[in-house]
Each structure stands twice: as structure tokens, then as C-alpha cells.
Amino acid sequence: MISSMISSRPWKRYNVERRDKEELSSMPSTKLYDSRFDDIRPYTDDEFREAMKRLVESDAFALLCSYVYPGKELSELRKGILSFNTIRDFQTSVMAEVNRQVIARSTTSFDFLNLEKLSPSKKYLFVSNHRDIMLDASLMQYALNEHNFETAQITFGANLMSSQLLIDIGRSNKMFRVERGGKQRDFYMSSRHLSDYIRYIITEYGESVWIAQRNGRTKDGIDETDQGIIKMFGLSKTDDKIRSLSELNIMPVCVSYEWEPCDVLKALELYETRMSGKYVKKPGEDTNSILTGIIQQKGRVVFSLGDQITEEDLLQFDNLTRSEFNKHVAGLLDERIMSQYTFFPNNYIAHDILYGQEHYRDKYTQDEYNLFLKKMERLNEFDIQNPDLLKEIYLGIYANPLNNKNKKICQR
């Protein structure tokens, strides 16, 4: 079995005491889904086993194994993969090791704070800021699994389902399909379908759900909840806007990376948008961003849970119109996500450079300042029309979280 091949690798830093072992293995891995959601749901265990057969025969299998299980025999790995019967087997063995490798190879520390806020008996709607296509949700799944919580189902943009391999890995990791864009009526119907599914999974199927606070990653460092996301949550229960959200147990999640995943790629995309007014995604760009995010050095990484959005919290907005209600709930989520943000020396350095000041000089050392400048030299490799604008955008990626937090403080 693959699980027997995995070496025990402690996290470099983890500040939550491990919970007592729960007998998750005695629970069914996947129950029967309502057939209304067959077009978007993750795989069942039967479908998962077929996906594993495709995975071990794929051209990418050897490359994937070289990263996750360096030095192991492919024949033994194929045998181990095909021995898995459930999605839980896959997550607790293969995906756990994938995340261990990411943490060991590309971070200097990994913290997950405030896990004690979770009750093992409750199911949550985790609403998170979004900085990396795969790692935000994947690392959270890992932390939940390591502390004996059932992993959540997670959103998976239809645009990322560009190959059978990505579909198989995603749907075998409890990802469900989210449609984006389209004509107004089509968008409404897909949003309603998504809302129905999220409510069904949390209140009937009995699993938690992870979703980003907005469509797509934050590229400019400004984490803000799209009030359209709040509107979508309520489409499946329109008769009572308070209960509609309170029964979802909305739990804010904040992820902070010392070195932003794909920072240069994000800066180039924003630069092109500023220069031409639009950005045209290139073939294979999403896959490149996924791989870059995994491999790139990220330094310290911190996940932190905020306070759950309760019925009492929501009642303060009860007299507002639906639109204003959604706006204020989005603002409350922003406050609770930003309250958990971890600021690193890079944020203070970028802010001081961007605004030509030394306001935060006591927050970083000269060595940290010099390292940031050295990292920024990567921008000189690109032959572009306005290199100063590219540097300004890059600095903004790191400085804007500070601006965002100060803005939220001023709005209180």
C-alpha cells in the first residue's frame, strides 16, 4: 500500500494540539447524492475507482509520482493507487502526502490557527480569501484531515477542467464544478443550482463546503468579498434571509503567504490589463499557474479561522433591503477575514518602497529589505514598455493588504 511508503514528516510549525482520534474510517466515504446534482458533484467511490485506473495509465503519472514519491517504483505506486477503494483513502494517503511535500519543499513554516473554533458535529461553509488556484483549499483540506475533521467539498471552476487528468484528480478530491460567466439567465440558473447544491451538502448530505470570497484569485492583494457571492448563498432559500445564511454556518478563513504564489505572473497580468485595457488568457496558463504556485517558494504560510457569522450577527441587518443586506454581510466577512491576516516584513517593505517612506522601518531588518529587492529583480527580465508600472503593480500586491486593513479600520 502507498500509505506504508509514506515517511512521517512533522510540520515545521503547527500551533494546535492534535484532537483525539475519531473513527472517521468507520463512516461511509461517500453517500448517495441527489441526482439533481450529477452535473456538478464530486465522484462517488465507484466513479473514483474508475478515475484511478485512468490516472495510473496517464502520461503524467510518472511525473506526478516523481514529485510526490521520489525514488519509489512506479509499478508499486500503480498497485497502491489501484488498491484504494474510497475517496477518503485517496485524501488521507495520496493528497496528504502531496501537501506534506508542498509544505516541506516550498515553505519555511505552516500554521493553522483557531481550529478550536470548529465543532466536529457541525458542518460549515468556509468562505476564504483566495491567493492560489489549488493550494488555498488543498492545504486547508490537509489541516482538517490531520486533525481528524471530515474534509470539505471545494469549488472547482469549470475553466480549470481542461483535461481528463485535472477532472479526475479534482473530482476525486471532493471538488465540485462551478460555472462562470454566460448569458444573464444562464448565469442566474447556474448560480441557483450552485446555491441549492451548497445548502444540500451542508444541511442534508452532511459535509462542509469551501468557497472563495470572490470569483478567481485576488491578484492585486486586495481581499474583498463579492456581494454577489452572498446573494448566491441566499438564492436557495428566499423566504427568510436571516435563516437562509445562519443555517449555513458561515466560517471566515484567511490565508496569508509571506511570498505571494505566482506574484510575478499576477503582476504581468495586471500590467497587461492596465496597458491594453483587457487581458487575454493564454492556452495552458491555468495549468502553469497551478504548477508555479505549488513549486514556488512561499516562505511562511498562515491559515486562520475568524469568528463564525451567527444569526445574532445577521439580525443587525434584518431591516435592510436584500441588496443592502448582502452588502453589509459581505463587509462583515471582509472584517473577519482581514482581522486574521498575518503581516510579514514583505508587506511593510513594499509599502514603504511604494510610497517613498520609512513609516514601517521598525517592522523589518536590512537583510529582509535587501532580500525583497533581490526578489524584485526578477521583473527586470521582461522587455516591456513601462517597467516602472510593472514594479508599482508588484509592490502593490504586497502593500495592498496593509491598505485594505487600514481602510476597514477607518470604515468602522
Side-chain angles (χ1 to χ4, degrees):
M1 291 288 291
I2 288 181
S3 56
S4 66
M5 300 179 181
I6 298 175
S7 59
S8 176
R9 182 182 292 104
W11 295 0
K12 297 182 179 68
R13 190 156 53 102
Y14 196 96
N15 79 326
V16 178
E17 291 297 321
R18 189 175 177 88
R19 290 179 178 270
D20 291 337
K21 200 73 173 170
E22 294 184 295
E23 295 301 320
L24 291 175
S25 59
S26 65
M27 298 165 55
S29 176
T30 53
K31 302 177 282 291
L32 291 176
Y33 285 98
D34 188 317
S35 61
R36 289 179 297 157
F37 305 113
D38 283 349
D39 57 330
I40 63 173
R41 62 166 174 76
Y43 284 149
T44 63
D45 286 337
D46 287 342
E47 293 165 338
F48 157 77
R49 287 188 286 271
E50 292 301 313
M52 292 302 98
K53 292 176 184 177
R54 292 190 293 270
L55 175 63
V56 300
E57 296 301 325
S58 70
D59 294 337
F61 183 69
L63 178 62
L64 293 171
C65 288
S66 69
Y67 181 85
V68 184
Y69 300 106
K72 303 298 182 183
E73 290 290 335
L74 278 180
S75 59
E76 287 299 311
L77 293 173
R78 284 194 178 93
K79 183 178 178 182
I81 290 283
L82 293 175
S83 72
F84 293 145
N85 288 313
T86 68
I87 287 173
R88 181 171 291 118
D89 292 339
F90 182 71
Q91 288 197 312
T92 58
S93 186
V94 176
M95 291 309 301
E97 184 63 10
V98 168
N99 285 289
R100 288 189 195 105
Q101 292 287 353
V102 169
I103 292 167
R105 297 188 187 194
S106 70
T107 76
T108 54
S109 66
F110 176 63
D111 284 343
F112 203 117
L113 310 180
N114 300 328
L115 266 171
E116 68 276 3
K117 293 184 177 182
L118 299 181
S119 167
S121 63
K122 288 176 68 173
K123 307 305 174 187
Y124 297 90
L125 176 55
F126 296 107
V127 181
S128 175
N129 64 333
H130 191 22
R131 297 303 185 90
D132 184 82
I133 293 176
M134 294 296 292
L135 291 183
D136 298 346
S138 184
L139 289 172
M140 180 160 177
Q141 295 282 62
Y142 176 61
L144 290 173
N145 178 65
E146 286 292 290
H147 284 74
N148 304 309
F149 289 100
E150 181 65 46
T151 54
Q153 295 201 14
I154 54 184
T155 56
F156 194 52
N159 59 301
L160 298 177
M161 295 188 175
S162 56
S163 70
Q164 188 62 51
L165 178 67
L166 288 177
I167 292 171
D168 284 341
I169 293 176
R171 294 185 70 189
S172 296
N173 199 35
K174 294 171 74 170
M175 293 182 177
F176 60 93
R177 181 186 180 97
V178 176
E179 295 289 346
R180 292 177 178 159
K183 296 180 180 179
Q184 185 171 354
R185 176 163 176 78
D186 292 337
F187 179 71
Y188 170 80
M189 295 303 293
S190 62
S191 295
R192 172 61 192 270
H193 192 46
L194 176 61
S195 182
D196 287 340
Y197 181 73
I198 289 172
R199 190 172 302 278
Y200 162 75
I201 290 299
I202 293 171
T203 65
E204 296 183 50
Y205 191 81
E207 289 189 348
S208 296
V209 170
W210 178 98
I211 191 170
Q213 68 181 160
R214 53 186 284 182
N215 287 332
R217 294 169 295 163
T218 299
K219 299 181 179 69
D220 58 6
I222 302 175
D223 298 312
E224 290 186 340
T225 302
D226 183 350
Q227 75 178 70
I229 295 288
I230 309 301
K231 178 181 178 181
M232 181 273 290
F233 295 155
L235 289 177
S236 52
K237 190 180 182 70
T238 58
D239 59 326
D240 184 337
K241 64 188 178 190
I242 303 299
R243 285 194 59 204
S244 178
L245 297 190
S246 66
E247 72 178 17
L248 296 178
N249 299 322
I250 297 174
M251 178 66 72
V253 182
C254 185
V255 54
S256 312
Y257 294 94
E258 183 175 16
W259 295 101
E260 182 80 5
C262 303
D263 51 1
V264 172
L265 296 179
K266 291 175 181 177
L268 288 168
E269 178 177 336
L270 293 172
Y271 171 84
E272 187 173 321
T273 302
R274 291 269 292 273
M275 293 296 289
S276 65
K278 64 179 181 179
Y279 181 77
V280 180
K281 191 172 288 189
K282 302 166 185 64
E285 186 171 329
D286 286 330
T287 302
N288 182 52
S289 292
I290 290 172
L291 295 174
T292 301
I294 290 172
I295 296 170
Q296 180 181 335
Q297 293 301 307
K298 290 167 280 292
R300 289 169 283 182
V301 180
V302 180
F303 282 70
S304 186
L305 300 178
D307 291 333
Q308 182 184 329
I309 305 294
T310 65
E311 183 173 350
E312 184 178 5
D313 294 324
L314 297 168
L315 281 170
Q316 64 183 310
F317 311 130
D318 192 22
N319 293 327
L320 300 177
T321 65
R322 179 73 72 162
S323 177
E324 284 296 307
F325 174 80
N326 294 336
K327 179 180 177 181
H328 278 75
V329 174
L332 180 59
L333 257 173
D334 287 346
E335 282 186 25
R336 294 196 176 176
I337 290 172
M338 282 308 300
S339 71
Q340 300 303 311
Y341 198 89
T342 298
F343 292 97
F344 299 105
N346 292 340
N347 302 113
Y348 300 111
I349 292 167
H351 199 279
D352 276 358
I353 295 174
L354 183 61
Y355 296 103
Q357 60 186 23
E358 291 191 341
H359 182 73
Y360 293 111
R361 189 62 186 84
D362 62 328
K363 302 291 188 180
Y364 53 86
T365 67
Q366 188 62 42
D367 285 344
E368 289 167 336
Y369 183 87
N370 293 340
L371 177 60
F372 187 87
L373 290 181
K374 185 172 181 59
K375 290 269 192 178
M376 201 163 66
E377 288 176 1
R378 293 172 293 168
L379 303 177
N380 298 329
E381 300 172 5
F382 302 97
D383 184 15
I384 57 174
Q385 181 180 345
N386 191 340
D388 288 339
L389 175 59
L390 181 62
K391 290 179 181 178
E392 177 186 319
I393 291 171
Y394 180 86
L395 289 168
I397 291 173
Y398 289 96
N400 281 333
L402 272 171
N403 292 333
N404 199 29
K405 184 170 185 177
N406 292 335
K407 174 184 173 184
K408 298 300 179 188
I409 291 173
C410 292
Q411 289 175 344
R412 289 176 185 171

